[in-house]
Amino acid sequence: RQLLPILTGLIGDDFTRYVEPFAGSGCVFFSLMPNKALLADINPELMNTYVEVKYRVADVVEQLSEWRKSKKRYLNLRLADPKSLPDAERAARFIYLNRCCFNGLYRTNRKGCFNVPYGGKRSGKIPKPEDLQSASQVLRKAKLITCDFTKTLAQVKPGDFVYMDPPFSIAARRMFKEYHAACFDPDQVKRLRREMERLADSKIKFLVSYAESEEAKVLRKGFKFRTVGVRRNIAGFAADRRTANETLIYN
């Protein structure tokens, strides 16, 4: 969100369809509100949430209204198997855990089970019904799919604009890699670079956000780029939150 003015400026509005293979929070998508979009992510819990907010937002809102913020509620929902829940309740669970967990992290163990501790009073607020309803309206213009980023990129065509904000795989520092059981690793960075080259050869515009690192240098070689400062909030404690550099790569 800190980089939204820069990101939206680089993306512009001269495209037919907006494509995001690493949907995540979707903050760029919700800021742009494009007329046509393709959103994808490898995380099935996230994409189920988007689908339910898109089509059955009233059911999600109703379920969330029944859950007050508490450590007991949080731990019980964290323990629940999301696949055993109705889809709307599954989506509400995802939103509740995301807003009530420590520092807004999404992290799973190697079995794919969400394992972030309770965030307590400093965690976020449950979204208001009107916010979810607004999100539902914007999502109705998007096609939503759950898949690996290369399968998403196989669907792009001239006239699309592709924004990619992948999980960071950086050998030189400790990163939270457990976004998904199949975490983004150095081989994925190589795959991403190949996809960037293919998009460029096909005259398809793209923008990639990546933490400044040796891996970022590999990704940006031969492309336009700029480096910007961004405040990292992953540490969880104000004293440990620092300004880091992020590389924006585009063609």
Side-chain angles (χ1 to χ4, degrees):
R1 289 191 186 89
Q2 298 173 59
L3 297 179
L4 270 176
I6 298 173
L7 295 173
T8 55
L10 288 171
I11 293 171
D13 57 7
D14 185 22
F15 56 84
T16 305
R17 181 178 63 162
Y18 174 81
V19 180
E20 197 166 343
F22 305 94
S25 71
C27 68
V28 176
F29 164 75
F30 287 111
S31 176
L32 290 171
M33 294 191 291
N35 290 324
K36 188 176 183 181
L38 171 60
L39 298 182
D41 200 281
I42 199 171
N43 185 340
E45 296 308 308
L46 172 69
M47 296 314 296
N48 173 73
T49 300
Y50 280 145
V51 168
E52 292 305 302
V53 170
K54 176 181 178 179
Y55 292 111
R56 287 166 288 276
V57 66
D59 294 340
V60 177
V61 167
E62 181 179 3
Q63 183 61 71
L64 277 173
S65 70
E66 297 178 7
W67 295 338
R68 302 273 180 160
K69 284 184 67 173
S70 73
K71 186 173 183 179
K72 181 179 180 180
R73 172 72 67 184
Y74 179 87
L75 294 177
N76 285 340
L77 284 173
R78 191 181 69 172
L79 187 63
D81 178 5
K83 295 178 182 178
S84 69
L85 303 175
D87 286 338
E89 185 175 349
R90 182 178 177 183
R93 172 187 179 272
F94 179 89
I95 294 169
Y96 182 95
L97 293 178
N98 176 261
R99 300 310 295 155
C100 298
C101 71
F102 172 74
N103 214 39
L105 285 173
Y106 187 87
R107 185 188 66 194
T108 64
N109 59 23
R110 295 195 176 275
K111 294 182 179 179
C113 299
F114 186 77
N115 64 355
V116 181
Y118 181 57
K121 294 181 179 179
R122 299 180 66 184
S123 59
K125 296 180 180 179
I126 303 298
K128 297 177 182 178
E130 54 266 32
D131 292 333
L132 290 172
Q133 289 158 0
S134 295
S136 179
Q137 292 293 326
V138 181
L139 284 167
R140 288 176 190 178
K141 297 182 179 180
K143 178 181 178 181
L144 305 169
I145 55 176
T146 305
C147 64
D148 175 82
F149 72 96
T150 55
K151 293 182 179 179
T152 306
L153 294 176
Q155 300 184 37
V156 303
K157 52 194 175 184
D160 290 343
F161 190 100
V162 183
Y163 172 59
M164 293 177 279
D165 183 23
F168 303 144
S169 178
I170 299 175
R173 71 186 83 160
R174 179 177 177 271
M175 302 293 286
F176 287 94
K177 294 183 178 180
E178 303 89 344
Y179 174 69
H180 186 269
C183 65
F184 206 77
D185 58 27
D187 287 339
Q188 303 279 50
V189 174
K190 294 176 184 177
R191 292 173 65 207
L192 176 58
R193 169 68 197 198
R194 288 196 295 269
E195 290 295 331
M196 291 164 63
E197 293 173 354
R198 185 180 66 81
L199 292 173
D201 290 342
S202 300
K203 309 298 182 185
I204 297 171
K205 294 288 187 179
F206 68 78
L207 170 63
V208 176
S209 302
Y210 210 86
E212 178 62 16
S213 58
E214 291 303 312
E215 289 79 3
K217 292 177 183 178
V218 171
L219 291 174
R220 77 190 188 196
K221 186 176 181 180
F223 293 116
K224 300 174 186 176
F225 71 92
R226 62 186 293 188
T227 302
V228 295
V230 60
R231 189 167 175 78
R232 295 282 180 223
N233 294 322
I234 202 72
F237 299 96
D240 294 327
R241 299 183 183 192
R242 300 180 176 89
T243 298
N245 288 329
E246 188 145 331
T247 302
L248 306 179
I249 309 162
Y250 52 99
N251 61 341

